[in-house]
Amino acid sequence: MKEVLAIRRKLLVANWKMHKNISEAQAFCRRFLPEIEECDRADIAICPPFTLLTAVKGALGSSKVKLGAQNLFWEEKGAYTGEVSPAMLLDAGCEMVIIGHSERRHIFGETDEMINRKVKAALRNKLIPILCVGETLEERKKGQAEEVVKRQLLEGLRELEYDGEIVIAYEPVWAIGTGVNASPDDAQKMSFFIRQILKGIFPEEKVLEMRILYGGSVKPENITGFTGQPDVDGALVGGASLDPDSFAEIVRLSCYA
Ligand code: PEP
């Protein structure tokens, strides 16, 4: 197990959602980058809104922090008002993209089928998809959490024709932005379950390399509980990633978990 863990570097992803303007984003990077300079044991990515991608890319400069997006559309180009293609994200310097975040599923009505098309489009364009899965509170109370996550994985990863890295983020909907995080034990149990499902989809060697993140009210005070679990390989962080000191602390603590 130790060898397997060694090949999965921790990954910390900031999801800024619909926050910050250009000068705030640049100020964030100026403060954040020196704080994480020493930490070379984890991968770090920032996913700002589309309007900030170019500015953040510039502010990140030659640092090791990667740029990601929060969404994409599956078509390459055309009459799709308001949408952004994978090629446009690549052009802006993105290396990864969040797909199927619960806010996309629940506020914007994204279905598993749409999410599957987005995952395929990301992989086709050599972007790393961060596929988000997770149950609502009602589903958890009814004992359906595993069933829901399994369906989201099987549908979201259906008939993939393309190879490449895929990251899964387990984000229980009831823990996102609520201040109520899942327990590290629950996060580990679900991440282990997710890995078992993935083994039915991909070759075992690939699954052992795949990173599974936990997301939902992660902050410096609770991060090590998650990253200390054998199947939790990092975190997708919303609110606490908006503050450079707090996100830097999450990164630093993860490096040594
Ligand atoms: C998220 O946006 O993916 C998230 C987990 O948000 P928060 O950390 O604020 O709960």
Side-chain angles (χ1 to χ4, degrees):
M1 178 58 85
K2 273 230 159 64
E3 269 165 37
V4 170
L5 286 177
I7 58 168
R8 291 203 301 266
R9 277 168 66 84
K10 294 281 188 282
L11 171 63
L12 288 310
V13 181
N15 174 15
W16 282 359
K17 309 195 188 195
M18 198 171 72
H19 291 287
K20 295 194 191 294
N21 59 28
I22 291 177
S23 59
E24 288 165 346
Q26 289 168 331
F28 176 104
C29 294
R30 276 196 302 275
R31 171 120 193 153
F32 177 70
L33 292 178
E35 290 194 52
I36 50 93
E37 213 169 48
E38 308 278 286
C39 181
D40 53 9
R41 291 172 61 186
D43 294 325
I44 309 162
I46 298 180
C47 302
F50 291 137
T51 53
L52 302 181
L53 287 174
T54 309
V56 172
K57 181 69 187 167
L60 292 177
S62 58
S63 83
K64 58 184 180 249
V65 179
K66 298 174 195 309
L67 185 69
Q70 299 173 19
N71 188 21
L72 87 178
F73 189 53
W74 54 80
E75 293 292 348
E76 300 302 320
K77 59 168 77 164
Y80 302 104
T81 303
E83 295 297 328
V84 174
S85 74
M88 290 169 179
L89 296 185
L90 284 175
D91 194 36
C94 290
E95 293 180 56
M96 47 185 77
V97 55
I98 298 171
I99 295 178
H101 189 280
S102 78
E103 287 146 20
R104 301 294 322 164
R105 292 177 189 264
H106 296 286
I107 304 174
F108 300 100
E110 287 194 10
T111 62
D112 286 323
E113 200 247 325
M114 293 162 76
I115 289 162
N116 177 243
R117 294 178 83 164
K118 292 184 177 199
V119 171
K120 286 176 176 161
L123 290 171
R124 200 163 54 230
N125 286 276
K126 308 266 181 286
L127 283 161
I128 298 171
I130 303 172
L131 171 64
C132 301
V133 298
E135 79 289 355
T136 64
L137 186 56
E138 202 186 341
E139 289 162 342
R140 174 155 283 254
K141 279 184 180 159
K142 285 189 194 152
Q144 298 169 342
E146 290 194 344
E147 186 189 316
V148 168
V149 167
K150 181 176 177 182
R151 190 208 71 229
Q152 291 172 339
L153 286 170
L154 295 179
E155 295 297 317
L157 300 172
R158 181 184 281 275
E159 292 167 2
L160 293 189
E161 293 160 34
Y162 307 94
D163 204 9
E165 185 178 355
I166 300 173
V167 174
I168 306 296
Y170 169 56
E171 298 209 306
V173 180
W174 47 271
I176 299 178
T178 58
V180 183
N181 55 278
S183 70
D185 194 41
D186 280 343
Q188 165 56 26
K189 278 192 190 126
M190 189 59 91
S191 300
F192 179 82
F193 175 74
I194 288 172
R195 213 175 287 287
Q196 300 317 303
I197 301 297
L198 292 174
K199 285 181 188 169
I201 306 176
F202 302 109
E204 177 148 2
E205 320 84 71
K206 181 170 167 84
V207 175
L208 293 178
E209 289 174 5
M210 285 176 78
R211 292 185 281 195
I212 301 175
L213 313 182
Y214 166 75
S217 299
V218 166
K219 42 188 189 262
E221 295 73 27
N222 62 21
I223 182 66
T224 52
F226 298 110
T227 46
Q229 302 297 324
D231 283 290
V232 181
D233 306 307
L236 178 53
V237 188
S241 75
L242 293 171
D243 175 68
D245 297 337
S246 142
F247 190 49
E249 186 65 0
I250 289 171
V251 170
R252 280 195 300 262
L253 289 165
S254 302
C255 279
Y256 302 104

